[in-house]
Amino acid sequence: MAYTLELDDLEDLARGAALLGTGGGGDPYIGTLLVAEELRRGRTIRLIEPDEVDDEALVIASAFMGAPTVVIEKIPGGDEPVTALRRLERHLGRKADAIIPMECGGLNSMVPLLVAARTGLSIVDGDGMGRAFPELQMETFGVYGVAGSPMAICDERQNVTIIDTGDDNRSMEWFARGVTIRMGGVSYIAEYPMSGTDVKRTAIPGTMTLALRLGRVIREARESQQDPFQALIDYLSGTIYEHARILLEGKVVDIERRSADGFVRGTATIATFDGATKVELTFQNEHLVARSDGKLLAIVPDLISVLDAETATPITTEALRYGQRVRVIAISTPAIMRTPEALDVFGPRAFGLDEDWTPVEKLAPL
Amino acid sequence: MAYTLELDDLEDLARGAALLGTGGGGDPYIGTLLVAEELRRGRTIRLIEPDEVDDEALVIASAFMGAPTVVIEKIPGGDEPVTALRRLERHLGRKADAIIPMECGGLNSMVPLLVAARTGLSIVDGDGMGRAFPELQMETFGVYGVAGSPMAICDERQNVTIIDTGDDNRSMEWFARGVTIRMGGVSYIAEYPMSGTDVKRTAIPGTMTLALRLGRVIREARESQQDPFQALIDYLSGTIYEHARILLEGKVVDIERRSADGFVRGTATIATFDGATKVELTFQNEHLVARSDGKLLAIVPDLISVLDAETATPITTEALRYGQRVRVIAISTPAIMRTPEALDVFGPRAFGLDEDWTPVEKLAPL
């Protein structure tokens, strides 16, 4: 069922998308302001389900790419992702019929909304990551055979690069990352031009409205003085993100991060208030693995998010600070992201981790 | 007058182009083999003068880019520059009517010949550098207002990138260099799509046949037991490269070179056989400046080339070795390369050198 996004939805959507962003995807705050401005001007954003897309339609994925630490210093004007889309259309010789988020996490939940508002194109309620991932080949579109190429990259000075690596999505990422670094560490992209049939076959469905509902669940629990974490866990149990568990409650006792090669990488340590137990999180834009004293608690592609201990507001990796009181939550990914083909592309080994993937619901709690 | 290139011309052309390459542009040897193979297969290469190009024609510049040190390790298959051209044509939605060399130096005299042979397109007798330069904005096309964008870049795996930075040719170079580095340090490009009118207005005319004749002058002097250096100087005096002088005869006593950031940079020191006088050459792919004991002898954009002391065979910067017996020659550039606009783009300051440009013919000999 098509859904027209309202101004009041934006904060909930941003909150839910920050949760699904697993620490990455960029802080959605700036994006929320840009999208709100569009809605105030009377523009509409229409979310359609994958099943509502014509089989023959051309659908293009929209996003920013780069290190989230850079996005908060190098704020988008708003034209960049629209230019990326238009220039890819011109290169293809065909207009897009709809757009789809690359990832439903963080700022990248807002970038495609901005494009939808400015172009009038519908946006598919779904995405290619089911969370946020740091690299462009890490999309279910590509896992299930869609070529990411040709893709377009645009910066704030309207410099445009089009990359075509055929069906080699890893090489596409390699070149796009190089261009993004030379654009100052952040760029705006249009990629994975695909048919409606491809969307239905490869997208993770419903993730935009899921983000909206997760954000709403958190807010409503707060407003009614209930535990937002329990509300989240209860809500998720009825979705394709079925299993959620709190790994730890405590405070951030150490954070180390470095922006290099177009990513932000680092570790965060969260300790219980008595200091007896610690969880170490390793991230590359997004959290990849949670360990405690050498014991594996959760690992990519399952989701790991850090939330404010009181309000359940998600905290991105670039916003983590010493002393924050937080809870760490782990959430199972949908089945489409757990196949051998999917794990080849975005399982632990794809990030150079030594562990095999184990479903979060099978890992023992602390 | 159109000229059809013959197999016997290739070695002369390569020799002359290596001279005009001022140490850079890549070793033409591999290119000569590839072009010779095309001619042996019966393909023809037709050189036309700029005046023979229709005003409305679409002309595209063809070249390799990257560090010459890498080209000799990563040999082209031959398809790369053709693919770059074809993909740029597809992006433009228009077929090229002719191609033109980006630079008349070194391997880049051969790459466009290969494209001409394989596509049947005529090649304009002229180029945009009048020598070799290390960066893409350093072309008379751009100096006099032609946009280098959109350009296409191709690697040996047929990965293609199209870069469009509007009329900002420096940014084009910046992004193209980043892509080339990620392609392994060398790539093949099609750039500066322009009209026949632009070619007539901005190209340095006749440089391909000049290279051919310079190579022939050297060979014929050798064959008739005459001094090839004097023959060169005599021949150049009747061309737009009017002034030539020998800076030093001696041997290479020091060479330091490093490949980084997509270039090869370094210095070479040549001393007279008695060790009394030394000339130091500084290069970035190409020789930029010759100094002796702090005294300026020649500086970019004037040409500085190192030639074998006996045979006058040009030696590229990546082929310089300790102990080689050489003569260093400096040659004046044509007037179109000495205007204030031209010096802004490829004069000494553009390379971070502290000296102002002084014409080689005004600098005192040693």
Side-chain angles (χ1 to χ4, degrees), chain B residues 26 64-72 177 180 185-186 259-260 262-264 285:
Chain B
F64 90 91
M65 83 176 280
T69 41
V70 177
V71 183
I72 54 178
R177 190 71 49 182
T180 296
V186 61
S259 298
F263 300 107
V264 52
N285 291 8

Side-chain angles (χ1 to χ4, degrees), chain B residues 16-23 104-105 129-133 204 207 210 214 236 240-247 281 286-290 297-307 328-334 337-338 346 357-361:
Chain B
L19 174 68
L20 294 176
T22 75
C104 58
M129 292 185 171
R131 45 169 288 169
F133 279 125
I204 300 156
T207 47
L210 175 68
L214 291 175
L236 284 165
I240 54 176
Y241 295 75
E242 190 178 346
H243 308 283
R245 61 177 49 166
I246 307 297
L247 299 184
L281 307 176
E286 286 77 35
H287 294 297
L288 301 177
V289 58
L297 300 180
I299 192 162
V300 67
D302 286 333
L303 285 64
I304 301 163
S305 283
V306 179
L307 283 64
V328 183
I329 190 169
I331 302 170
S332 64
T333 36
M337 297 175 64
R338 294 175 152 199
F346 46 63
W357 174 71
T358 309
V360 65
E361 63 273 24

Side-chain angles (χ1 to χ4, degrees), chain B residues 48-59 94 97 193-201:
Chain B
I48 57 173
E49 291 183 24
D51 285 346
E52 294 176 274
V53 182
D54 284 347
D55 285 354
E56 309 302 319
L58 174 63
V59 182
R94 187 177 166 192
D97 301 299
M194 64 189 133
S195 68
T197 305
D198 283 333
V199 169
K200 291 168 206 180
R201 188 174 59 80

